[in-house]
Amino acid sequence: MAQITLSDLAHSYVHNGAETGDFALKTLNHVWQDGGAYALLGPSGCGKTTLLNIISGLITPSRGRVLFDGVDMTESPAEKRNIAQVFQFPVVYDTMTVRENLAFPLKNRGLARAAIQARVALIAEMMGLGDILDRKARGLPADAKQKISLARGMVRESVNAILFDEPLTVIDPQLKWELRTQLKSLHRELRHTMIYVTHDQVEALTFADTVVMMHEGRVLQTGTPESLFETPAHTFVGHFIGSPGMNFLEAKIEGSRGVINGQCFPLGASYRTASGFTQIGIRPEYIQFSADEGLPVVVKHVEDVGRRRIVHAELANSPISVSVPEGQFFDNTMARVRFMPDKINIFVDDWRVQGEAL
Amino acid sequence: MSLELQGVSQVVDGQQHIAPTDLVLEKGTMNVLLGPTSSGKTSLMRLMAGLDRPSTGRIFSSGRDVTNEPVQARNVAMVYQEFINYPGMTVFDNIASPLRLKGQSRKEVDRAVRSTAEMLKLTPVLQRKPLALSGGQQQRCALARALVKKAALVLLDEPLANLDYKLREELRVEIPRIFEQAGSIFVYATTEPEEALLLGGNTATLWEGQVTQFGPTLSVYRKPQTLTTAQVFSDPPMNFIQGKKAGDSLSLNGGASLGLRKQSAALSDATYTLGFRAHHIKLQQHEVSQPGSPPLHLQCTLVASEVTGSETFLHLRYGETTWVAVASGTHVMTQGKQVDIWLDGAHLYLFDLTGCLVACGDNAV
Amino acid sequence: MAKVQNNRAWLLVLPVLALVAFSAVIPLMTVVNYAFNDTFGNNQFFWNGLGWFEEMVRSERLHAALGRQMVFTGTILAIEVPLGIFVALNMPKKGFWASLCLVLMALPLLIPFNVVGTIWQIFCRIDIGLLGRAMTALGVDYNYTNDPLDAWVTLIIMDVWHWTSLVALLCYAGLQSIPNAYYQAARIDQASRWDIFRYIELPKMSGVLLIAVLLRFIDSFMIYTEPFVVTGGGPGNSTTFLSIDLVKMAIGQFDLGPAAAFSLMYFLVILLISWVFYTVMVARDAGETR
């Protein structure tokens, strides 16, 4: 196991890409702590798979260095780096049995027979593959094959890191729950460094202790799931995380008051007046309907999704969505909304600014 | 028009893919087929479309028997999980293709294509080729092709499964509204309960080739008639525990006992399965306020917790069973900790051993 | 599965069915007629039952031709299949060179069979052929018209030249369909080059490979034109394969009865082997999707 350091890393698929626009991955510094559970989150084409492949050694970066425990590995090929990777679609050796599939990476590294047997049995048990160990991999359903891929990723004891590239894409929602919990408990027991690439915020936030949010080849924010949710560093993070995403409203900021359309509301902190395009960001969960207090809204339509209702409304001609939990009263007479003051974030030119505590 | 399936089943090589099914789909409705992979969603759609012929039963379109009519004669449109467009044509020509096949005039085609493109936000990319577009736009193009035809029946087979999470969210909100205007019968297959809820309309839950329940989406969700339906229609999965009923109390397989009222107390004494959804497990007593009956209080052990931002998923162990609870806010707890939970009688379901719903709380209606 | 079909489509097939009836079914029935009857001309037939078949099954001459045929087919399969796989593995995956390779490989497949025969017949002649002259100049005693071994070598090289690219192209298509993730996973698992071939490439190629073997088997088992043009079955009978022998018997000697019985058995053997191949392939596919 190792600490992985990315130093001034950048990558372009175009040779000698001079313009920053050519870079699939813009300059990036990051340290992956030994034994951490990380998620790389972003929409497709944001560069997350490129970054993953640079770490695993399938791509050599155009610039910068990759260090494993301080040793420069930038030029080492994938097979020399001692990492494991699980891909989006199941990659299994069709003609081998499940057992042989799991044993394959160990056998190639010359482990003793008994050690292989024991390790395979352990991992198979943890992944729930015990019953089908002697079946041929060909002909198994897709979810079983993906379990084999996951288990093969996990089977080597001494890997530097395990990389997951959207591993649950082919899995049904019900089974996702099971596998996610299994991965998490495997992480707790084995303490491997795990890096999990996904576009699914729920997968990222539930799996990882630290989430790295990427957009257009750039890392926008690195932090705990709560910090990404509560205090997104960039409007894109606010929009991308949460379902529906954060509401953004153009507003004027006067110290500890916000003003929209001439109407004031309190903020949780005090801000110096900044120049630039100023927006407030507030999550649908932190808005409450009220009959007589707050800012006036026009309700457009309501979606009832069982455990909550999502109210789509307009505030000063901007769309805004509000989440109303099941059991909480809501009707047409409530035409005003209140923002929870300490849940309001202020963004200037799309980047979050820190206020001073009141 | 309406589409009616009467006792439609499909048997392939002696294996039953679709059990005899009766369904009536009305004009202008959104009908969700919800079930896990290979539960028969696609097979059922193919039968509806006329791509396959049922082994038994009849299919009526507006009262007319169309069982033996081929798909070409039925005015059906279909959208698949893969983004299927003509790669050599521009988006405009792609959308126009079904109309040109019908031999409509240039002017009509132009007008129809432009209004459909506007609805699906494709106007800026009309002159581009599908493969130069993002996944979301490619699927919008496929949707536009299905819509422009004004088909009486539009079938969508997991159309958002290959899209990014955020794009999915965006289209999920748009799709019901677009379809409201179109007035066709829409059938939408998905594996995700959340998607069914967002789409609204009616939902048919499928399990191993059987439609287990069909009705307005929310009422299927709130009052699943069987344990299977409840399992199919819940994400996170519904929590279950078995208990023995004696008189007006149900003693659970973990120690605690639940006081029963009204119709549930009148049931015969036997073993029952108690079910409740993840978000109805409360971590504070005051969150379950019900006059009259006190909430059920249980002590569980925390197996794992997962934070999603605004919510925390708690994996709990009670006796032999494990449950998932969703709590709002972030709760960082250590593994192995004792957790007190409260269950509100209004959100409980009681199933008998055959899996039929025999009683449920007031909120389940 | 009960697919809904448009039955009018069958009408469009009718002309083809009629054509096939005249060009295949009726001639085949004539052959069947000859196989079970004896004739001394004048369109007078005498029932001979399985007489011709028995004669043919016992015929030394036919055994010898069958033996030669098996050796020939076995040899060219043993050369062309591994060579085809090898070529496919080493072809460039994309870009200009890939297209160029594909065009060059397709060339031999586009040449008519008798032209292939003629090309090699001239190419190998010791008086005017480039190869024949060159061999003689190098002091190699090479003459395919006199020496049976030389004739065999010539025919085998010609067939390999003609058909290896078919195997290679089919394998190439199979290889192209393997997702990149498989190679990446193998690298990470530290699989050797042989492991990659054995556990990834070969299993993924096996479907098309089976088709390639089937095609090459049927084709080489029925080979006629090329050896007829180059060696005419000689020297002696050394390159007289089944179809050449059949033609000699039917047209050269006008033994129509035995030849008809022979050709029916020939046809049935090929049908049987193709059916076995087909069953294996279908069973394999079923195993894949189960």
Side-chain angles (χ1 to χ4, degrees), chain A residues 53-66:
Chain A
N53 287 340
I54 289 175
I55 297 172
S56 66
L58 297 170
I59 297 178
T60 309
S62 323
R63 273 194 223 149
R65 294 188 303 149
V66 181

Side-chain angles (χ1 to χ4, degrees), chain A residues 43-44 172-174 177 181 188 199-201 205-206 226 229 239-240 242-243 301 303-307 326, chain B residues 36-37 164-166 169 177 191 197-198 218 222 231-232 234-236 279-280 307-311 330 335:
Chain A
S44 28
D172 270 353
Q174 268 83 354
W177 277 90
T181 339
R188 238 192 340 263
H199 62 81
D200 186 323
Q201 43 152 328
L205 298 184
T206 51
E226 297 112 277
F229 187 83
H239 156 77
F240 197 81
S243 171
H301 69 275
E303 282 167 6
D304 191 337
V305 296
R307 40 193 272 229
E326 185 181 39
Chain B
T37 310
D164 265 18
Y165 194 85
K166 268 286 149 176
E169 207 175 274
R177 271 181 270 169
T191 58
L197 286 165
L198 279 168
L218 267 180
R222 292 240 162 89
Q231 274 171 324
V232 170
S234 56
D235 182 38
H279 63 283
H280 290 137
V307 177
T308 71
S310 63
E311 291 171 328
T330 44
Q335 197 200 338

